[in-house]
């Protein structure tokens, strides 16, 4: 486990799963995994055929991301490929999705919410008496 990577907890039933931020190298590998998966999609296909392929791709990318994160718990005795297969075959899709959100948050991979103010303490509620300044 790296002392520099952030970690977070995911509760599922009676189990607590520790997830870790991706390292820089893992982030690069994850982007390469996404790029190669995108290249593998058929170019000339209709939407009805493409949709299940995109869903499968999304599940596989999520499971891979989770496996990369889980690897940090015991890097000397873990194999990302085996963890990836374990996640795919043993985790429900909802748990994979929840874990992906945590790993992406820890790794600063989620887009910033554009509607969030820079300083939440300075938020002013708008009322008919307080309108936005004219542009």
């Amino acid at each position: 486990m790296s002392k520099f990577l952030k970690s977070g907890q995911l509760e599922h039933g009676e189990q607590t799963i520790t997830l870790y931020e991706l390292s820089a190298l893992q982030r690069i590998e994850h982007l390469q995994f996404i790029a190669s998966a995108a290249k593998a999609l058929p170019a000339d296909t209709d939407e009805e055929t493409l949709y299940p392929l995109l869903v499968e791709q999304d599940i596989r990318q999520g499971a891979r991301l989770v496996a990369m994160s889980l690897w940090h718990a015991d890097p000397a005795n873990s194999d990302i490929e085996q963890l990836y297969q374990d996640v795919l075959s043993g985790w429900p899709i909802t748990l994979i999705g929840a874990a992906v959100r945590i790993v992406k948050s820890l790794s600063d991979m989620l887009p910033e919410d554009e509607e969030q103010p820079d300083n939440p303490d300075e938020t002013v509620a708008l009322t008919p008496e307080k309108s936005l300044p004219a542009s």
Side-chain angles (χ1 to χ4, degrees):
M1 167 176 62
S2 173
K3 61 183 176 182
F4 299 111
L5 299 177
K6 298 179 277 187
S7 65
Q9 304 290 316
L10 173 62
E11 302 290 329
H12 182 69
E14 295 179 8
Q15 292 188 324
T16 300
I17 303 162
T18 301
L19 298 165
Y20 296 87
E21 173 183 19
L22 296 186
S23 69
L25 179 59
Q26 286 179 318
R27 182 101 170 239
I28 292 167
E29 290 171 349
H30 178 65
L31 293 172
Q32 290 171 338
F33 186 80
I34 291 171
S36 67
K39 287 180 186 176
L41 288 173
D44 298 334
T45 188
D46 61 14
E47 196 172 302
E48 189 174 312
T49 305
L50 187 59
Y51 180 75
L53 297 174
L54 291 173
V55 171
E56 175 188 352
Q57 187 179 77
D58 188 51
I59 293 168
R60 290 185 183 281
Q61 288 172 6
R64 178 85 172 176
L65 184 79
V66 172
M68 294 169 93
S69 173
L70 292 171
W71 177 82
H72 290 287
D74 189 14
N77 296 313
S78 297
D79 176 52
I80 290 177
E81 289 304 316
Q82 184 59 51
L83 288 167
Y84 170 61
Q85 291 302 320
D86 292 347
V87 171
L88 276 176
S89 63
W91 288 37
I93 189 67
T94 54
L95 184 58
I96 293 172
V100 165
R101 285 188 293 281
I102 291 171
V103 173
K104 284 185 175 183
S105 177
L106 289 169
S107 303
D108 296 321
M109 295 171 66
L110 293 174
E112 290 187 30
D113 186 3
E114 295 178 0
E115 296 185 23
Q116 290 288 343
D118 290 337
N119 185 351
D121 295 333
E122 295 179 7
T123 304
V124 177
L126 295 178
T127 63
E129 294 81 29
K130 296 180 185 176
S131 61
L132 291 173
S135 344

